[in-house]
Amino acid sequence: MDVNGTVAEGFEPVRDVFARNFETLGDRGAAVAVYRDGRRVVDLWAGTRDVDGTEPWQRGTAQLVRSATKGVAAAVPLLLRQRGLLDLDAPVAEYWPEFKAHGKERLLVRHVLNHRAGVPVLDRPLTPEEALDPRKGPEAVAAQTPAWEPGTDHGYHALTYGWMLDELVRRVTGLGAGAWIAREIAGPLGAGFWLGLPETEEAAGRTGRVGRIETPEPTGALHARPKRSVTEAYEDPGSLTRRAFAAITPFPDQNDPAYRASALPATNGIATADGLARIYAALIGDVDGGVRLFTPATVEAARTEESAGPDRVLVVNTRFGLGYMLHGSASPLLGPGSFGHPGRGGSLGFADPDTGIAFGYVTNGFRKTVTADPRAQALVRAVRAAL
């Protein structure tokens, strides 16, 4: 496999592992980028832009990153808190009065970010058309009765996370999360990340920007296997696992331009590997000697454990900070202080403040993994070895 791009001295093992992912792990098209202390040290890409095509992947090729979107979206409420515009310990209903229905009046903003809100499912799933309407998802979550008392337990809010976050941002700023990210994060950084792909980028997609992904069955394995696996739980129609991932049914065609143009902060961000890594680099330090997003206090808040133990949706032990997955058995990152988010099927973005590393991996060859894709994990191990 011909691998394009560059690596800084000492990071050559990352190139070797990236090539091996194509040879032994079946990657079709992918890219990986790594920053250290705000400077890019790995920028690699290979394969085809479309999983079912022959056009080569280019340096600026972007892909849907599924739940890796959550990590970028989580930066928005944390930045609003940093600016004094959002109180994480206030009830959600203080900003969004309709949300207090059915016992949610004491559900805190913090509970949305640490997956303790208790509303990972909808009693009536949304249709694809409803899901793409920015009003329908928030309305449905506001009307939902919690599956457990908010704040008392945690479970991965696979889709509802995005609707709650988006509406909170809209109530505080007047903008949806996608527009806010474009204005305040991706734009100033010059980062290739979109939550709501603009028409200009969709048009570029026909000539090389956004690739087509494959869409496997929405089940998979986690890194740690409990007595009941997430796959087994998903096969139970009444389980929280199945219902959380089926809050939209049937799920939209993820290659559809209408889906890519919508803004679902839980699941449909589109990114280049460099864009994902660049944003994480700016969360923990200056990028190219310029833009920095998080203060040191906000970095500590992001990576401080808020939820840990058996996850009522993913059924294994998970760890969450404020909007971010933390390093652990279900989602191994670089080290104990890392924070970030994987995307179901392969993509991964994270930062490790202790080493100054920021990492982004995107692929068009989605697998059935939920949080610990072997291709991404091989690259993380290579970065660790290079350090």
Side-chain angles (χ1 to χ4, degrees), residues 305-322:
E305 183 180 281
E306 293 264 331
S307 300
D311 187 300
R312 294 188 63 162
V313 172
L314 294 180
V315 305
V316 298
N317 291 338
T318 56
R319 298 180 66 228
F320 290 97
L322 290 171

Side-chain angles (χ1 to χ4, degrees), residues 18 28 31 39 41 141 181 199 245 272 283 304 336 381:
F18 185 64
R28 293 288 304 278
R39 183 176 66 90
V41 294
V141 181
I181 289 167
E199 288 186 13
F245 283 99
T272 64
L283 296 184
T304 297
R381 290 192 295 272

Side-chain angles (χ1 to χ4, degrees), residues 183-240:
R183 189 182 75 180
E184 302 288 338
I185 297 177
L189 280 170
F193 181 92
W194 300 269
L195 179 57
L197 191 68
E199 288 186 13
T200 52
E201 297 296 339
E202 183 63 53
R206 289 191 283 274
T207 58
R209 167 65 81 175
V210 183
R212 290 179 58 84
I213 61 167
E214 66 179 336
T215 53
E217 290 298 314
T219 60
L222 287 163
H223 187 72
R225 183 175 176 86
K227 293 180 181 178
R228 188 190 198 201
S229 73
V230 68
T231 302
E232 293 164 340
Y234 188 89
E235 290 170 351
D236 176 1
S239 69
L240 288 179

Side-chain angles (χ1 to χ4, degrees), residues 31-353:
V32 61
V34 180
Y35 282 65
R36 187 174 195 185
D37 297 329
R39 183 176 66 90
R40 188 167 51 232
V41 294
V42 174
D43 184 21
L44 300 172
W45 65 93
T48 60
R49 180 193 67 179
D50 299 327
V51 72
D52 54 357
T54 59
E55 289 296 315
W57 189 295
Q58 306 290 339
R59 185 175 187 278
T61 295
Q63 297 289 355
L64 183 76
V65 295
R66 289 186 168 174
S67 284
T69 307
K70 290 183 174 76
V72 178
V76 181
L78 291 185
L79 286 169
L80 293 177
R81 173 186 185 253
Q82 184 173 289
R83 298 177 186 185
L85 300 174
L86 183 65
D87 181 358
L88 301 189
D89 292 309
V92 172
E94 183 174 310
Y95 302 98
W96 178 6
E98 300 89 335
F99 189 80
K100 65 184 177 182
H102 304 295
K104 300 194 298 299
E105 59 275 355
R106 290 187 295 277
L107 196 161
L108 306 181
V109 175
R110 181 179 300 275
H111 296 151
V112 174
L113 297 178
N114 60 25
H115 293 267
R116 303 181 75 86
V119 284
V121 303
L122 297 179
D123 290 338
R124 187 189 72 79
L126 300 185
T127 66
E129 294 75 21
E130 290 171 330
L132 302 189
D133 183 330
R135 300 166 300 174
K136 298 296 185 182
E139 288 173 358
V141 181
Q144 180 64 39
T145 300
W148 64 83
E149 182 181 347
T152 63
D153 207 349
H154 84 284
Y156 184 52
H157 289 54
L159 294 171
T160 56
Y161 170 95
W163 292 314
M164 290 186 286
L165 185 149
D166 198 44
E167 189 64 15
L168 273 168
V169 172
R170 196 179 305 277
R171 296 289 175 126
V172 172
T173 70
L175 297 175
W180 204 91
I181 289 167
R183 189 182 75 180
E184 302 288 338
I185 297 177
L189 280 170
F193 181 92
W194 300 269
L195 179 57
L197 191 68
E199 288 186 13
T200 52
E201 297 296 339
E202 183 63 53
R206 289 191 283 274
T207 58
R209 167 65 81 175
V210 183
R212 290 179 58 84
I213 61 167
E214 66 179 336
T215 53
E217 290 298 314
T219 60
L222 287 163
H223 187 72
R225 183 175 176 86
K227 293 180 181 178
R228 188 190 198 201
S229 73
V230 68
T231 302
E232 293 164 340
Y234 188 89
E235 290 170 351
D236 176 1
S239 69
L240 288 179
T241 308
R242 176 66 170 268
R243 295 170 63 207
F245 283 99
I248 305 171
T249 189
F251 207 82
D253 175 3
Q254 293 165 81
N255 290 311
D256 185 345
Y259 178 74
R260 303 199 297 203
S262 64
L264 298 172
T267 190
N268 80 333
I270 290 177
T272 64
D274 181 72
L276 202 56
R278 190 172 180 83
I279 288 172
Y280 274 102
L283 296 184
I284 61 172
D286 291 337
V287 172
D288 298 334
V291 181
R292 175 170 183 155
L293 295 173
F294 282 177
T295 64
T298 301
V299 171
E300 289 306 308
R303 68 173 181 166
T304 297
E305 183 180 281
E306 293 264 331
S307 300
D311 187 300
R312 294 188 63 162
V313 172
L314 294 180
V315 305
V316 298
N317 291 338
T318 56
R319 298 180 66 228
F320 290 97
L322 290 171
Y324 296 96
M325 277 193 167
L326 306 182
H327 176 74
S329 60
S331 183
L333 302 175
L334 192 64
S338 302
F339 65 97
H341 217 289
R344 182 163 53 90
S347 55
L348 177 64
F350 69 81
D352 185 69

